[in-house]
Amino acid sequence: MAKAVAKKPVLVPLGDRVLIQATKGNTKTAAGIILPEALADDMEMKRGTVVAVGPGRVVDGKLVAVSVKKGDDVIFKKWADKLTFEGEEYFIAGEHDLVATIN
């Protein structure tokens, strides 16, 4: 008889939401001023890597896929929801909260 293997839980965003793992941003300004971590956290935008993407949203009865994919580096608005899952910190944001991809 084979032993049952425990399946690791996976977060899957719903709709047009995107799961992002934040990357530590540069806490130094272009002029060379070093920002304290508390101030750096208060900046308008954050940077991260897309971990998972929802299926998209329905427009006029058709599914429109999200425009980013797993592994993309993105800049997103700071008010994305923060969550902790399996000891890791993530942000979950709607596609409309993504500002840019970094190529």
Side-chain angles (χ1 to χ4, degrees), residues 12-18 52-58 63-67 95:
V12 179
L14 301 175
D16 68 342
R17 290 179 185 84
V18 179
V53 177
R57 65 187 185 286
V58 176
L63 183 65
V64 177
V66 178
S67 61
E95 183 178 22

Side-chain angles (χ1 to χ4, degrees), residues 44 46 76-82 91-92 96-97:
E44 292 297 316
K46 292 193 176 286
F76 59 100
K77 296 177 183 174
K78 74 174 184 177
W79 52 77
D81 293 320
K82 189 175 187 177
F91 288 89
I92 192 152
H96 62 278
D97 289 326

Side-chain angles (χ1 to χ4, degrees), residues 19-103:
L19 185 67
I20 304 166
Q21 188 161 38
T23 54
K24 288 284 184 187
N26 191 358
T27 57
K28 185 188 268 190
T29 67
I33 299 170
I34 297 173
L35 301 173
E37 197 167 318
L39 182 59
D41 286 342
D42 198 35
M43 296 175 77
E44 292 297 316
M45 304 288 172
K46 292 193 176 286
R47 181 177 178 171
T49 302
V50 175
V51 175
V53 177
R57 65 187 185 286
V58 176
V59 177
D60 295 328
K62 295 183 180 179
L63 183 65
V64 177
V66 178
S67 61
V68 296
K69 63 188 178 311
K70 182 178 178 179
D72 283 352
D73 287 325
V74 295
I75 296 178
F76 59 100
K77 296 177 183 174
K78 74 174 184 177
W79 52 77
D81 293 320
K82 189 175 187 177
L83 63 103
T84 302
F85 181 74
E86 298 284 314
E88 296 284 332
E89 285 190 354
Y90 299 97
F91 288 89
I92 192 152
E95 183 178 22
H96 62 278
D97 289 326
L98 302 179
V99 178
T101 59
I102 302 168
N103 297 325

